[in-house]
Amino acid sequence: MKKRFSVFLCVLIFGTLFLSTQALASQEVATINASKFGFWTVLPPLVSIVLAFVTKNVVVSLFIGAMVGCVMLYITDSNILIALIQGFMDFVSRALNSLADPWNAGIILQVLVIGGIIHLVGKMGGAKAVAEALAKKAKSVKSVQLTTFLLGIAVFFDDYANALIVGPIMRPVADKMKISREKLAFVIDATAAPIAGLAIISTWIGLEVGLIGDAFNSIGQSVDAFGVFLQTIPFRFYNILILAFIIISALTLREFGPMYKAEQNARKGVIHSGENNKSKVYTEELNEMMDELEPKEGVKLSCWNAIIPIGSLIIFSLIAFYYSGYSSIMVGEDEALKAIVTNSPFGFQAIQQTFSNADASIALFQSALISSIITIVLAVFKKIFTVSEAIETWIEGMKGLLITGVILILAWSLSSVIKELGTAKYLVGILSGTVPAFILPSLIFILGSIIAFATGTAYGTMGILMPLAIPLAYTISSGDMNLVIVSTSAVLTGAIFGDHCSPISDTTILSSTGAGCDHIEHVRTQIWYSIFVGIIAILFGYIPAGLGLSPFISIPIAIVAMIVFMLTFGKKVLVEETVNSSHRTIV
């Protein structure tokens, strides 16, 4: 999912950020360019999408797409070479402006710092201790699946950590209860990205909030990006429904498609192992990633080594959000808001308003920094690390998330150039009379899933699609924020849906690795479940939401529809042999 590239590539991209700056174009310039370039305004995002399909490399795709747009702004009838030089200078300027923005800088910094905390928690043995404590509670086929699910929820802060921590812990427990490696890999995969994408504290939120904020800025709308993020949560239909589907399948012990055969074989003692798999699963890079999550040798496992760091991150995030919003309200001119927070500072309405007015990038960075200090002090106090070792481990955890910063800078640069070219304005003019507004979220969801399936990255898909989706939804709906929020969620969940189906997705590969499952078998069994839930998400989620139906009505209906389908078409997996026979064969 989050593609891990070499440090050299990261340095190369950042190393270009040293030239002069240039102001962003006004809405009038965008309108002129939309008329001037016509169809060619869609070329930059189109190039990014096509290259993402071909190269499977989101950094290269975003960079070239942004460069194409920059060159278009300077192209003349006479000299393409000058246009290339000016276009490159313009790209560097846009990238530098992206980093110079305090909001953007805060987003990147909090992503890196949270990565450092997660790495410390792993090396201190906290994550493994929590996993082992939950695994001891699993005593039956149902409880093993539900425990794996709960453990996936517990490791909510990062999808990579989720896949590589949960799998090795639950694999022997699942084997003992004769649950197929395919089913174990599915439960791991179906909790990893969906819960990380929903969590308000994770390695994902910086990317999501950053892209949302930039897309709204491109249409001249100043909004609380974190507040918009929170509003999209009830509309994350695929994320929510795939989590519900895991519970339904576990409680009913019913399966369909290739998963049913895999589960039947497992109950008979035949388990498909990934040990002989020649695919990308067992490459040196992935083995190194698993080693990175292993606790330091000799560390005594303790749940407190996870509870204190993650708990402090959550608690101080809430405090920082409140303080940031409170400060913003008190220096503002809205006397009604001031009265609310003054008269009842900890009332529901006051808390809601302070969170809505908070600067998410600053609040998250502040809380992550405080949590980092607490985690380092804890590691030193318990004599797990010296101060120097703890800081080195913290910095080491940031390296894996450098690529997130690179993707964000490139996505922000692409967003600014397509804004100036008037891409969204051109597409609105073409689509406004042909595409009904209510169907737009479904189309965005499908397009996002196609891009993510082909590229294997939800991150890259969000970066490519978000700058187009929000302006399109805002204009086609005549400023209807409800439809914009639904369309925003469609980008975020469509990317995860396509990523789940993709055989080249990092988390798909890591899930099969952690579960010890043959990678192709994992893809073959999971894709039917993902497609089923994706269809339910469209029919019972995005289409009704586009028509204005509340998600609190449509989600229960969707869950009932899944239950009815499983009871009608799902086949009961035999469980008797699990108790009567201890023999199993691993193939």
Side-chain angles (χ1 to χ4, degrees), residues 366-527:
Q366 289 171 336
S367 57
L369 204 54
I370 294 172
S371 178
S372 295
I373 295 170
I374 291 172
T375 307
I376 290 171
V377 170
L378 178 67
V380 174
F381 177 77
K382 288 196 167 189
K383 298 182 179 179
I384 299 172
F385 294 115
T386 64
V387 174
S388 297
E389 288 174 337
I391 293 173
E392 287 175 8
T393 303
W394 180 65
I395 293 173
E396 188 70 25
M398 296 183 185
K399 292 179 181 178
L401 290 170
L402 275 176
I403 191 60
T404 304
V406 175
I407 291 173
L408 273 170
I409 291 171
L410 292 172
W412 287 327
S413 301
L414 176 63
S415 176
S416 71
V417 76
I418 64 176
K419 172 192 173 183
E420 189 168 342
L421 282 171
T423 305
K425 290 182 177 296
Y426 172 77
L427 289 176
V428 166
I430 297 296
L431 298 176
S432 58
T434 58
V435 176
F438 79 91
I439 206 71
L440 185 62
S442 300
L443 293 178
I444 291 171
F445 177 82
I446 293 169
L447 179 58
S449 67
I450 293 171
I451 297 171
F453 178 82
T455 61
T457 166
Y459 266 37
T461 300
M462 294 174 189
I464 291 170
L465 204 52
M466 192 69 79
L468 292 177
I470 288 179
L472 272 174
Y474 185 82
T475 308
I476 289 177
S477 66
S478 301
D480 180 3
M481 279 301 295
N482 183 69
L483 190 71
V484 176
I485 288 168
V486 177
S487 298
T488 303
S489 78
V491 175
L492 303 175
T493 56
I496 289 175
F497 167 52
D499 186 87
H500 267 181
C501 297
S502 176
I504 61 172
S505 159
D506 282 8
T507 44
T508 304
I509 294 168
L510 292 175
S511 297
S512 54
T513 300
C517 174
D518 180 86
H519 180 57
I520 300 304
E521 287 300 310
H522 170 46
V523 174
R524 191 175 70 89
T525 51
Q526 173 166 278
I527 195 169

Side-chain angles (χ1 to χ4, degrees), residues 80-146:
I80 185 65
L81 180 60
I82 293 177
L84 283 170
I85 295 172
Q86 291 178 320
F88 178 75
M89 298 282 283
D90 186 43
F91 165 77
V92 171
S93 175
R94 293 175 191 276
L96 185 57
N97 281 334
S98 297
L99 269 180
D101 184 275
W103 165 271
N104 293 347
I107 290 294
I108 291 176
L109 285 173
Q110 64 94 358
V111 166
L112 295 177
V113 174
I114 289 176
I117 295 170
I118 291 168
H119 194 63
L120 271 172
V121 169
K123 287 301 180 183
M124 290 165 63
K128 190 170 185 178
V130 171
E132 290 186 350
L134 284 173
K136 292 176 182 177
K137 304 294 183 181
K139 303 296 183 183
S140 66
V141 172
K142 287 183 181 180
S143 66
V144 169
Q145 293 187 48
L146 292 175

